[in-house]
Amino acid sequence: MTSCERLVDSGDVTPARLRAALGRFASGVTIVSTVLDDEVHGMTANAFTSVSLDPPLVLVSIAESAKMDDWIRASGRFAVSILHRDQERLSLHFAGAPLREPPAPAFTWRYELPFVDGALAHLACSVSDSHPAGDHVLHIGNVDGLWFQHGGEPLVFHTGMFRALEGQEEQTWGL
Ligand code: FAD
């Protein structure tokens, strides 16, 4: 059997099939957060990517229907916390998934933005551009400040499930 023969059925594009196909792309998980009038709002997002090193730009894709879109438009700033593998419950909480015993999120303040405690990396961003794209809005952020841990394992999202990296060896590719 060739690898093509293992591909599932037709080429039809529906939202459910698109989600299933894109779910094959493994990603990390972030919590995007911001503040307005001393009130903090956060949400879980994996549609996060680097855009440019110089100038330093990143992108988050936020559903137009999510409250976070209004919060980012109003505040003009957002924080990205890249989650540690132990932060699955927090990630569910900030995705609006009900938990019987929700963890109390703790925030660390940097550059007057709220970051989730215990994350692998924190990026403080100012919105440099926002582009509506279908049912999402692409918010591009200039990175004003960043902090990261040396070591620590990321939370991974793949095929709709949280996972952890396993069996990987330390590599020295200079990245
Ligand atoms: P709400 O749904 O009202 O809030 C989200 C949750 O965070 C609620 O439970 C709320 O109580 C809690 N919360 C917010 N602020 C605080 C606070 N200050 N203190 C304590 N709790 C607080 N959607 C996208 O648009 N883009 C993505 O890239 C994306 N990626 C996702 C990746 C994963 C792995 C998952 C599970 C979901 C993802 N989602 C994504 C879906 C998104 O996280 C949910 O739709 C989310 O509920 C949208 O949040 P909201 O801004 O509408 O606010």
Side-chain angles (χ1 to χ4, degrees):
M1 180 185 283
T2 68
S3 59
C4 274
E5 287 169 326
R6 285 191 219 109
L7 289 173
V8 180
D9 60 60
S10 68
D12 294 347
V13 181
T14 64
R17 286 170 50 81
L18 185 57
R19 184 188 289 264
L22 296 181
R24 269 63 188 171
F25 184 69
S27 73
V29 183
T30 74
I31 291 177
V32 176
S33 48
T34 193
V35 60
L36 262 184
D37 300 330
D38 294 332
E39 203 181 330
V40 171
H41 184 72
M43 74 161 251
T44 301
N46 69 338
F48 161 77
T49 187
S50 60
V51 173
S52 160
L53 293 180
D54 187 14
L57 300 174
V58 296
L59 176 154
V60 287
S61 176
I62 306 288
E64 216 177 19
S65 57
K67 291 174 200 151
M68 182 52 84
D69 182 47
D70 297 329
W71 280 73
I72 291 178
R73 286 169 193 268
S75 74
R77 302 191 66 208
F78 61 90
V80 179
S81 301
I82 298 175
L83 298 189
H84 185 275
R85 65 178 287 179
D86 293 342
Q87 295 182 302
E88 176 179 336
R89 283 167 56 82
L90 205 61
S91 148
L92 281 172
H93 171 77
F94 279 101
L99 285 178
R100 229 179 286 151
E101 294 170 40
F107 296 103
T108 293
W109 288 83
R110 299 180 194 273
Y111 278 46
E112 299 178 2
L113 282 170
F115 293 90
V116 170
D117 275 355
L120 292 180
H122 290 164
L123 304 174
C125 304
S126 320
V127 176
S128 69
D129 241 325
S130 295
H131 300 278
D135 53 12
H136 278 58
V137 179
L138 310 179
H139 292 290
I140 296 173
N142 190 81
V143 181
D144 302 323
L146 61 84
W147 303 264
F148 60 91
Q149 288 184 23
H150 290 281
E153 299 235 339
L155 184 60
V156 173
F157 197 64
H158 180 246
T159 58
M161 294 170 71
F162 292 102
R163 301 173 189 273
L165 297 180
E166 272 179 29
Q168 88 281 20
E169 293 184 7
E170 288 287 323
Q171 302 286 346
T172 51
W173 294 331
L175 296 176

